[in-house]
Amino acid sequence: MKIVITGSSGFIGYHLASELLNRRYKVIGIDNNNNYYSNLIKKKRANKLKKNKNFTFHKVNLVNEKKLEKIFLKHKPEIIFHLAGQPGVLYSLKHPKSYLINNVIATQSLCKISKKHNIKKFIFGSSSSVYGDQKKFPIRETFKENPKNPYAKTKLSSEKIIEKSFKKSNTDYIIFRFFTVYGPFGRPDMFIHKFLNSIKKNKKINLYNSGLNFRDFTYIDDVVKILLKNIMISPSKKIFNICRSKPIKTIHLVQLIEKIFKKTVKIRKIGFVKGEMLKTHGSNSLLKKNFKSISFTDIKYGLKKTIAFYKKYGY
Ligand SMILES: NC(=O)c1ccc[n+]([C@@H]2O[C@H](COP(=O)([O-])OP(=O)(O)OC[C@H]3O[C@@H](n4cnc5c(N)ncnc54)[C@H](O)[C@@H]3O)[C@@H](O)[C@H]2O)c1
């Protein structure tokens, strides 16, 4: 079975591709290796994947329909994991155009070609940010979305494009809303890796909302396991949260990291930042009901693995 992963040089795409290759699937990676964060990290991930003979890489921008068409004609994939995109909440407040291009237009282009080629399954990596600030917790998939920033708005628009493209087609589509994914080889623009880099460089780190925000951190291996299960399972529901459903206050996360790293870092507590959510706490009951025997990694164990990798490789 041939599987396309868009965003294969990215954090989640890389981990999914590695696991699929371990299981002897043929994987076609598409990524433009953009410069949103260290291009070196993306190249390192891509180079690791390229060592496997079952991996083919195309450095292509998804908005380029002609190049996409060529890739689809050549490889004839059956399954698409769409994990490419422009992430980052605060960056989206200053650079909204990049979100329109890399989330909305890129998804439109990929859906158009996938539809033309009658793809069997289309799986999309969406975000908990589409819920915005909610009053009730845990957040269920039925709650009304309330996107607060360009990132969240473009992720929700992408969901709508996918629904519209495949609702009346033979393509089985599914949308997963990820809640703050972390782990080894993680994104340097996200809090945990920013914090680790601050420890390394002995630099002060800003704690938004004085560290009182809650985040429902989800370990990368758990996300990959669920994405893999989805190859075999076709639930009738189309939208699922992927979260541990055990949020932690940022200030407590900081204490945990310092304890595991055995080093402290100077903290600058700053006020509330516009566009940021105060709390993410998803419900995973729909996911557990449909995907069966799913368990989530304890945050201490996940952090230990992340920090051990960071200490060994420096990223
Ligand atoms: N990591 C998280 O906590 C998290 C949470 C919620 C949602 N998500 C979503 O999951 C997906 C994967 O996230 P990630 O953490 O791996 O991010 P990432 O930035 O590490 O990976 C995304 C990859 O997409 C590529 N890309 C961007 N625009 C492209 C384009 N136009 N054409 C081709 N490639 C392009 C980038 O170069 C990058 O390698 C993203 O869509 C993100 O919005 C991630």
Side-chain angles (χ1 to χ4, degrees):
M1 197 183 295
K2 286 186 177 175
I3 300 180
V4 160
I5 300 181
T6 72
S8 57
S9 309
F11 169 48
I12 302 175
Y14 161 78
H15 281 282
L16 176 66
S18 302
E19 198 47 42
L20 282 167
L21 291 167
N22 283 344
R23 295 176 189 215
R24 301 184 193 286
Y25 283 97
K26 287 201 169 20
V27 177
I28 300 113
I30 307 176
D31 201 303
N32 65 349
N33 287 0
N34 70 26
N35 286 317
Y36 165 62
Y37 63 77
S38 163
N39 195 258
L40 211 75
I41 290 185
K42 292 184 185 180
K43 280 187 186 151
K44 273 189 182 147
R45 294 189 189 123
N47 287 339
K48 280 190 112 182
L49 295 174
K50 280 180 198 165
K51 284 185 184 148
N52 191 306
K53 65 173 177 19
N54 285 332
F55 182 73
T56 320
F57 181 65
H58 294 273
K59 189 171 184 289
V60 162
N61 191 322
L62 292 178
V63 300
N64 191 330
E65 286 179 20
K66 273 192 186 154
K67 285 195 176 162
L68 271 188
E69 172 89 65
K70 270 192 182 167
I71 297 172
F72 276 58
L73 280 171
K74 184 174 175 202
H75 297 286
K76 301 188 175 42
E78 289 166 75
I79 298 178
I80 314 293
F81 282 98
H82 180 28
L83 298 171
Q86 173 61 62
V89 166
L90 296 183
Y91 188 80
S92 79
L93 302 172
K94 287 190 181 152
H95 307 274
K97 204 173 157 198
S98 175
Y99 293 76
L100 181 69
I101 297 168
N102 298 304
N103 293 344
V104 180
I105 300 174
T107 301
Q108 265 167 349
S109 160
L110 183 68
C111 285
K112 187 175 161 190
I113 305 298
S114 300
K115 204 171 169 186
K116 194 171 164 191
H117 288 264
N118 222 353
I119 290 304
K120 243 188 190 166
K121 248 180 202 281
F122 190 101
I123 299 137
F124 176 53
S126 188
S127 162
S128 62
S129 65
V130 300
Y131 294 115
D133 281 324
Q134 297 278 339
K135 292 199 174 84
K136 275 192 189 165
F137 296 95
I139 302 168
R140 291 181 186 279
E141 291 82 349
T142 47
F143 285 18
K144 184 150 179 43
E145 299 90 355
N146 179 24
K148 283 179 75 177
N149 49 64
Y151 170 63
K153 285 178 188 162
T154 55
K155 291 306 279 190
L156 188 58
S157 301
S158 304
E159 290 189 4
K160 302 286 176 213
I161 293 163
I162 290 160
E163 276 171 355
K164 204 171 158 212
S165 303
F166 302 120
K167 209 163 193 169
K168 289 181 186 146
S169 76
N170 293 327
T171 304
D172 178 26
Y173 73 92
I174 187 158
I175 292 162
F176 287 111
R177 291 175 174 165
F178 303 147
F179 283 62
T180 325
V181 188
Y182 74 101
F185 230 156
R187 272 183 25 216
D189 63 313
M190 289 182 74
F191 183 75
I192 292 179
H193 275 77
K194 266 192 188 166
F195 194 79
L196 296 176
N197 284 329
S198 293
I199 295 182
K200 187 161 91 180
K201 292 178 186 154
N202 208 8
K203 261 176 68 181
K204 255 189 187 172
I205 185 155
N206 290 336
L207 274 195
Y208 299 141
N209 199 18
S210 304
L212 301 176
N213 287 347
F214 282 87
R215 287 291 175 271
D216 200 349
F217 285 95
T218 313
Y219 191 56
I220 183 68
D221 290 3
D222 303 339
V223 175
V224 168
K225 272 183 202 150
I226 295 159
L227 295 177
L228 287 172
K229 269 192 178 218
N230 187 237
I231 295 178
M232 300 303 171
I233 299 173
S234 296
S236 57
K237 293 266 190 272
K238 295 292 170 204
I239 299 184
F240 292 91
N241 292 338
I242 298 191
C243 55
R244 212 166 61 96
S245 199
K246 285 193 181 130
I248 172 169
K249 237 185 225 176
T250 315
I251 193 82
H252 293 150
L253 176 80
V254 164
Q255 288 160 0
L256 259 180
I257 299 177
E258 288 183 335
K259 205 170 153 196
I260 297 168
F261 208 110
K262 296 191 177 74
K263 230 174 164 181
T264 54
V265 75
K266 285 191 187 114
I267 283 162
R268 186 186 298 119
K269 288 186 179 174
I270 59 171
F272 181 68
V273 175
K274 189 184 153 236
E276 274 261 302
M277 289 182 287
L278 290 173
K279 181 173 180 173
T280 64
H281 176 191
S283 159
N284 56 23
S285 28
L286 187 70
L287 184 81
K288 283 184 167 165
K289 197 171 151 199
N290 281 269
F291 287 82
K292 311 272 187 282
S293 59
I294 284 177
S295 58
F296 285 91
T297 303
D298 176 70
I299 189 143
K300 276 187 208 146
Y301 179 80
L303 284 174
K304 273 185 191 161
K305 297 278 269 186
T306 308
I307 291 168
F309 185 94
Y310 185 86
K311 281 187 170 174
K312 189 166 175 192
Y313 298 103
Y315 45 82

